[in-house]
Amino acid sequence: MSDPTKPPGAEPEQAAVAMDLQEEADRLQAELEEARPPHAGPISQIAAALVALAVGVFGAVGSYALGLGRLTQPGPGLWPFAISVVIIVLSAVLVVTGRGLQDTERFSRSSLLTAVGLVTLVGLAALLPVIGFEVPSLLLMFIWLRWLGKESWRSSIVISIGAVAVFYVLFVLLLQIPLPRLI
């Protein structure tokens, strides 16, 4: 029985729209599958989980050395230790279940972008005590925006300067966190 409030022929029109949406979704899914890099395999999945496990163990040992304190008076290592324990647990789960997962990609030229990100973070950590947080943070943000994010020169410069200025006001002036700084 048809609905008297709907105009005649509305149901076939809605069905046609639904079919068009389904066809578009299927086409986009096929494009994504074509663009996806090849799967690296179970050994790569397990290796990535083991690397994350090692990072978690390293973080737990380092944060324990800082001192955990008590729950009522937490030490400087409490939160890093808690996060490290979460990393260890999740990595252990991935070691056990990782063989059947299909979300690892083969290393390719684009995988180097992750290495560039890591190198720039290490550079930030090395330069921070020497020249303060302003210049290294500015360089890090600019490199990430311009070369890793493929942003324009103008937006990379403006966002980098603006973000470092906001960090300075928030952390140095308002929260009075004793960061090494140039200014």
Side-chain angles (χ1 to χ4, degrees), residues 74-87:
L78 181 64
W79 284 110
F81 183 80
I83 292 169
S84 296
V85 168
V86 170
I87 291 171

Side-chain angles (χ1 to χ4, degrees), residues 67-76 78:
L68 301 180
R70 297 186 314 266
L71 286 178
T72 56
Q73 289 184 325
L78 181 64

Side-chain angles (χ1 to χ4, degrees), residues 136-149:
S137 298
L138 186 72
L139 291 172
L140 175 87
M141 291 201 62
F142 181 77
I143 289 169
W144 281 19
L145 287 167
R146 178 67 189 130
W147 284 287
L148 300 181

Side-chain angles (χ1 to χ4, degrees), residues 89-155:
V89 169
L90 293 176
S91 299
V93 169
L94 275 177
V95 166
V96 173
T97 64
R99 294 176 200 262
L101 300 176
Q102 299 286 319
D103 60 350
T104 54
E105 301 173 0
R106 286 195 184 140
F107 282 101
S108 65
R109 192 168 188 162
S110 65
S111 302
L112 293 176
L113 295 177
T114 304
V116 169
L118 181 63
V119 167
T120 55
L121 278 175
V122 170
L124 172 77
L127 290 174
L128 201 68
V130 177
I131 59 175
F133 87 95
E134 296 95 342
V135 174
S137 298
L138 186 72
L139 291 172
L140 175 87
M141 291 201 62
F142 181 77
I143 289 169
W144 281 19
L145 287 167
R146 178 67 189 130
W147 284 287
L148 300 181
K150 309 264 190 278
E151 295 291 333
S152 69
W153 283 93
R154 180 181 300 154
S155 66

